[in-house]
Amino acid sequence: MTKTAGAAAAPATTAAAAAAAAAAAPPGTAERRGRPRNAALDSAVIETVLRLIEEGVPLGELSVERIAREAGVGKATVYRRWAGKEALMLDVMRSLEHAAPELAGDSVRDDLVTLLETLRRRGLAKRSSAVLRTVLAQVKAHPELWQEYHEKVVRVRREAVHAVLRRGMATGEVRPDLDVELMGDLVVSPMLSRAMFHDRAELPEDLPGKIVDAVLEGIRPR
């Protein structure tokens, strides 16, 4: 009888020790083993940050403690998922991005229109565009976070445009003597300006095609 009780107590003791070890582990390491992350909880924390930003809370006042309290979770729960506020804010900004579209690859024009349509749709999502404008304005005061966002989000988007243009240079659809980054800016900037920096600018369905056609008129082989 004593052996049975001791055997039953062992798992409980082990579980208690594991819980204590997890609590003592450095932030960001506790959930590398064991049960998987709770996607719903992650979303709840990110949604809380977005709500606070919408309410006008400056980025400098968004401490992990406040975010955790507003989300109804413990501070340790946030730290188990993100190394700090900067990592969390990067995921918040990523949550406002549309998934990269699949490109047919049939023509440079069609693929560029598809990429611009993604920016147009983001601009039409009033909440996303308004919050993203606020976040980007504040993030520039945090150079490391801005650099991280640029490297992991902006650069990926720019590279997609550049890849299409390079393909066009190889197929003869685009002049090979022009700088690909300059051509990319000419394609993206008009839509980005309307979608992100002018909250009352119209974003009609035919706008991506009009922008691409106007740019291609100047960068097609002569």
Side-chain angles (χ1 to χ4, degrees):
M1 191 72 177
T2 304
K3 287 183 180 180
T4 304
T13 303
T14 303
T29 64
E31 290 200 355
R32 288 178 186 171
R33 293 189 296 271
R35 68 173 183 268
R37 282 173 55 157
N38 185 332
L41 197 153
D42 290 4
S43 297
V45 173
I46 289 173
E47 181 64 28
T48 296
V49 176
L50 290 171
R51 175 176 58 79
L52 290 171
I53 291 171
E54 280 187 297
E55 292 173 357
V57 179
L59 190 58
E61 295 180 15
L62 281 178
S63 65
V64 171
E65 291 84 352
R66 179 172 185 177
I67 293 168
R69 184 174 65 251
E70 294 278 352
V73 301
K75 186 170 68 172
T77 298
V78 177
Y79 276 122
R80 280 197 294 270
R81 287 158 170 79
W82 294 279
K85 188 174 77 172
E86 288 75 16
L88 170 55
M89 288 305 303
L90 183 60
D91 275 356
V92 168
M93 291 188 289
R94 281 173 168 165
S95 75
L96 299 173
E97 295 287 326
H98 287 277
E102 290 189 15
L103 302 178
D106 296 329
S107 74
V108 167
R109 181 191 185 277
D110 291 348
D111 284 354
L112 290 177
V113 169
T114 298
L115 290 169
L116 286 192
E117 176 61 16
T118 300
L119 289 178
R120 189 184 78 89
R121 289 201 309 270
R122 187 175 66 177
L124 289 172
K126 296 302 182 184
R127 186 210 190 194
S128 293
S129 58
V131 172
L132 190 56
R133 280 196 299 272
T134 301
V135 171
L136 290 179
Q138 296 187 37
V139 159
K140 287 190 176 181
H142 302 262
E144 290 185 5
L145 181 55
W146 173 250
Q147 182 66 24
E148 187 86 356
Y149 175 73
H150 192 276
E151 286 296 314
K152 295 188 175 179
V153 178
V154 176
R155 192 171 79 168
V156 173
R157 195 164 59 230
R158 284 172 60 89
E159 276 302 317
V161 175
H162 294 168
V164 173
L165 291 170
R166 289 191 188 99
R167 193 188 77 225
M169 293 167 75
T171 59
E173 296 171 81
V174 174
R175 287 171 56 185
D177 60 322
L178 296 178
D179 181 271
V180 72
E181 291 198 8
L182 174 60
M183 288 189 289
D185 288 343
L186 290 173
V187 171
V188 173
S189 294
M191 182 65 76
L192 197 60
S193 176
R194 284 200 180 199
M196 296 305 303
F197 305 123
H198 301 287
D199 57 350
R200 290 191 174 88
E202 293 186 2
L203 298 169
E205 289 185 10
D206 62 349
L207 183 59
K210 284 183 175 180
I211 292 173
V212 171
D213 288 340
V215 174
L216 286 179
E217 184 65 28
I219 65 175
R220 280 196 181 102
R222 302 193 181 281

